[in-house]
Amino acid sequence: MGKVWFVGAGPGDPELITVKGRDLIGRAGAILYAGSLVSEATMRWAPAGCEIADSKDMTLEAINTWLLQKARVHDTVVRLQTGDPTLYGALVEMVQPLDADGIGIEVVPGVSSAMAAAGSAVESLTLPEVTQTVILTRVEGRTPMPDGESLAELGTHHCTLCLFLSITLLSKVQSELLAAGWREDAPVLVVQKASWPNQEKIVRGTLTDIRDKCRDEKIKSQAMIIVSPVLGARRWPELKKSKLYAADFSHRFRRGTKPKRKA
Ligand code: SAH
């Protein structure tokens, strides 16, 4: 009996997979990849004779059957997921049938699109004394949101919000964040196909105009929405700098200089 590895392929650029993930692809007997969001170019590391299938058109049941069958034949079976497998990836539904059959599984993390989108736009998701918190969430579409997790409620924290699966619901994002007390001119960043070579689009706007801007750019899918009080900080003249690198801040690896006394 083989083992099934749930591997994060990263956000799109095939080079953003981890070394561990690439090595697993290199010795896989079978790979099932999420073709809607994982670049086919990642398969270049697969060995000759590797069984490769795209799960784009499969139901969960078909995916589970495929993984079970291949794990009976091959030592290493890879389920290649977009971004990180632990976020909106139906991981538990795929693991349970394997558990039931006594097949070993392991998860290899990946670079999530939330991080890739922020990086592409050279934005930090946290900034001292502005926000130290990131919420990864989505707005309610066909999947209902649990109690207490509407954007109107989560938005009251005024921290960084990374919104998955919500690009077609920008009017809802707008109305719920205004209800949560965000200003109409609050900055919003949308990154489509973050890190995909030659395909990435970065759109900046405000809660008021981001929807029109995305419509003009024809962005309807595969996009990350980031709303945060830190957006644009790269160009702020005054920053509260991180204590970690401050000259007078001591920590485990460095003794800080004493602040100068006033004469
Ligand atoms: N596990 C994935 C998320 C899967 S849900 C991760 O960690 O990134 C699919 C959603 O992720 C999309 O609707 C979109 O909001 C986001 N997404 C995935 N790839 C993206 C990319 N390259 N750029 C921007 N958003 C992306």
Side-chain angles (χ1 to χ4, degrees):
M1 209 74 116
K3 184 166 176 177
V4 178
W5 298 79
F6 291 85
V7 175
D13 179 349
E15 293 191 349
L16 285 177
I17 193 168
T18 61
V19 173
K20 184 163 186 163
R22 191 183 63 184
D23 287 350
L24 281 161
I25 289 178
R27 59 184 166 88
I31 301 172
L32 184 62
Y33 72 104
S36 51
L37 287 164
V38 172
S39 170
E40 228 180 319
T42 312
M43 301 312 141
R44 75 177 98 143
W45 294 299
C50 178
E51 291 189 68
I52 299 175
D54 183 350
S55 63
K56 193 168 57 212
D57 306 321
M58 290 185 179
T59 59
L60 182 68
E61 209 187 328
I63 290 175
N64 289 338
T65 308
W66 198 95
L67 293 174
L68 282 168
Q69 277 175 355
K70 302 304 169 199
R72 290 195 188 106
V73 193
H74 300 286
D75 285 342
T76 305
V77 176
V78 170
R79 164 63 181 156
L80 202 55
Q81 309 249 119
T82 171
D84 183 87
T86 66
L87 289 167
Y88 308 106
L91 179 66
V92 177
E93 292 111 293
M94 287 185 275
V95 166
Q96 278 182 348
L98 297 167
D99 281 346
D101 261 36
I103 292 166
I105 73 112
E106 214 166 310
V107 177
V108 179
V111 176
S112 174
S113 55
M115 282 71 218
S120 290
V122 197
E123 294 286 356
S124 178
L125 297 175
T126 60
L127 202 63
E129 297 185 35
V130 180
T131 185
Q132 294 288 284
T133 304
V134 182
I135 296 180
L136 306 179
T137 187
R138 62 181 297 174
V139 287
E140 184 165 292
R142 280 183 294 178
T143 305
M145 289 301 277
D147 281 349
E149 293 189 23
S150 73
L151 201 53
E153 287 161 287
L154 297 176
T156 57
H157 294 283
H158 291 272
C159 60
T160 297
L161 301 161
C162 296
L163 306 176
F164 292 76
L165 300 158
S166 302
I167 194 64
T168 57
L169 301 163
L170 274 171
S171 58
K172 200 164 194 166
V173 171
Q174 182 192 28
S175 61
E176 295 211 21
L177 288 182
L178 291 176
W182 288 69
R183 291 163 48 133
E184 287 183 354
D185 64 354
V188 182
L189 167 72
V190 169
V191 183
Q192 185 183 42
K193 296 203 106 178
S195 88
W196 284 76
N198 307 317
Q199 296 185 49
E200 179 179 278
K201 275 189 191 169
I202 298 178
V203 178
R204 292 175 183 275
T206 63
L207 269 187
T208 313
D209 65 17
I210 194 71
R211 198 166 153 229
D212 288 346
K213 286 187 169 180
C214 286
R215 193 190 319 118
D216 293 347
E217 291 290 333
K218 300 189 173 47
I219 297 178
K220 292 183 198 132
S221 65
Q222 266 176 280
M224 176 61 48
I225 307 164
I226 300 180
V227 193
S228 169
V230 312
L231 289 177
R234 188 183 186 182
R235 295 201 170 73
W236 293 356
E238 295 279 330
L239 280 189
K240 298 273 186 211
K241 301 235 169 62
S242 163
K243 286 205 167 43
L244 185 62
Y245 302 114
D248 61 356
F249 188 71
S250 295
H251 56 71
R252 212 149 52 93
F253 302 107
R254 181 167 60 80
R255 172 172 285 184
T257 53
K258 285 206 177 109
K260 283 196 186 105
R261 287 242 176 89
K262 281 192 187 138

